[in-house]
Amino acid sequence: MRKAKKSKQQGLVFQEPKDYELDPNAMIQTFDLTKIYNITEGIEIRALNGVSIDIKKGEFVSVMGPSGSGKTTLLNMIGALDNPTSGAVYINRTNIAHMDDKQRTNLRLKEIGFIFQFYNLVPVLSAYENVELPMLFAARTKQEIEKNVNKFLDLVGLSDKKDHLPSELSGGEQQRVAIARALCNEPSILIADEPTGELDTKMGMEIVKLLRELNLELNQTILMVSHDPMVGALAERILKMRDGKIIETVDTKN
Ligand code: ADP
Ligand code: MG
């Protein structure tokens, strides 16, 4: 960990390291990120071991690596779902470690859309109501909500299934609802943790192609975990992880 000092008023305060070079074009930047889980007394797992990445605005980046290599942990730090042990995460050039709980909640709600492997839809709500939910939390106007829910359900190709419950939709369709839900507050970043993990190859490819089209159309920054090489190859850049580190970066544009 870099130097941290105790402040009398605020408890632990992290000093801003002077050598963090902020990239003006970055949407996501991490510096020397580490995460250590203390399993039991004396047993530690180093889930992240010094990860520094720089993702530009509008980029579509895939994170690949074997199970347990730290992919989800990395996404959770970037999505402000958990705190790193040391290092820093900057979203749009703001260090999220400096945010209070309210600012973090606001960041997660408005700036970051999450897509998970198991869709995480509310089973008793229709497709429309599932997409509407984060907009209700973000206190958007009635008109905005109606406009965006319809717009994003349309973009993911589900206009005709608005009233269906998740149980009345296929896996691929449920993931499309989850994508519309992640997009409805118009976040600058989409974080997707194995979004194709529960789908067959064809459906998985369709979902990732849809993400790529949306990325080109709406210009959000996408960070997606996948362990399917075909899926990962649709991204512009692949970050390969192993044992909590980025071991290789592959540029698929070349
Ligand atoms: P991946 O997503 O690449 O499969 P994870 O980020 O989930 O990997 O996990 C990285 C390592 O950290 C693994 O060894 C995992 O067991 C451990 N780990 C993840 N979350 C926790 C936790 N909440 N408590 C303890 N260990 C954890
Ligand atoms: Mg994972």
Side-chain angles (χ1 to χ4, degrees):
M1 193 191 295
R2 284 165 194 272
K3 264 188 200 159
K5 63 176 181 185
K6 274 273 192 199
S7 129
K8 286 195 182 80
Q9 291 95 25
Q10 296 165 297
L12 197 63
V13 169
F14 292 100
Q15 280 182 339
E16 198 75 56
K18 294 187 177 51
D19 53 350
Y20 286 171
E21 254 185 60
L22 290 188
D23 172 356
N25 299 315
M27 180 54 79
I28 301 167
Q29 253 186 307
T30 72
F31 297 94
D32 261 336
L33 210 54
T34 70
K35 178 68 177 180
I36 298 170
Y37 291 110
N38 292 300
I39 303 295
T40 51
E41 194 66 28
I43 301 181
E44 287 183 343
I45 288 190
R46 203 171 269 267
L48 289 182
N49 193 5
V51 173
S52 300
I53 58 174
D54 180 336
I55 299 176
K56 311 270 185 270
K57 185 172 183 340
E59 243 194 317
F60 187 169
V61 174
S62 157
V63 182
M64 303 191 72
S67 180
S69 56
K71 305 179 299 293
T72 295
T73 306
L74 176 63
L75 261 52
N76 289 349
M77 304 296 140
I78 291 171
L81 291 171
D82 198 0
N83 285 313
T85 306
S86 65
V89 177
Y90 284 78
I91 301 293
N92 218 354
R93 308 186 75 202
T94 303
N95 187 347
I96 63 176
H98 291 175
M99 293 183 172
D100 60 27
D101 283 350
K102 207 174 154 199
Q103 287 170 316
R104 279 166 164 266
T105 305
N106 211 32
L107 176 83
R108 283 197 302 265
L109 197 56
K110 298 191 176 150
E111 291 301 326
I112 304 174
F114 293 92
I115 301 164
F116 304 97
Q117 179 174 357
F118 297 103
Y119 328 129
N120 293 11
L121 300 176
V122 181
V124 295
L125 298 182
S126 68
Y128 185 98
E129 290 163 336
N130 266 286
V131 178
E132 182 184 39
L133 207 55
M135 293 197 81
L136 296 175
F137 284 120
R140 307 281 294 256
T141 67
K142 233 177 128 181
Q143 290 87 336
E144 275 179 320
I145 293 177
E146 208 180 312
K147 181 173 148 255
N148 277 17
V149 177
N150 285 317
K151 171 180 160 188
F152 288 110
L153 277 173
D154 192 29
L155 274 177
V156 300
L158 282 180
S159 302
D160 56 339
K161 296 198 171 157
K162 279 180 213 169
D163 300 326
H164 289 224
L165 292 173
S167 59
E168 297 163 344
L169 297 168
S170 72
E173 287 170 339
Q174 289 183 61
Q175 195 59 301
R176 285 168 189 270
V177 175
I179 292 170
R181 176 184 59 184
L183 291 171
C184 68
N185 279 328
E186 296 161 293
S188 21
I189 299 171
L190 260 194
I191 290 181
D193 197 351
E194 307 212 22
T196 64
E198 287 302 293
L199 304 172
D200 63 36
T201 311
K202 185 168 167 277
M203 195 74 85
M205 289 298 278
E206 276 175 21
I207 287 292
V208 179
K209 280 185 188 152
L210 172 67
L211 285 175
R212 180 67 177 136
E213 279 165 30
L214 292 169
N215 158 251
L216 291 171
E217 191 167 331
L218 308 167
N219 200 39
Q220 342 85 347
T221 308
I222 301 188
L223 187 57
M224 174 188 76
V225 165
S226 169
H227 50 222
D228 181 342
M230 296 237 293
V231 164
L234 288 173
E236 295 172 86
R237 196 147 58 97
I238 302 171
L239 306 176
K240 293 196 174 168
M241 283 191 83
R242 191 169 290 251
D243 299 331
K245 288 188 171 138
I246 308 281
I247 53 160
E248 193 187 355
T249 300
V250 181
D251 203 334
T252 60
K253 284 176 289 189
N254 300 326

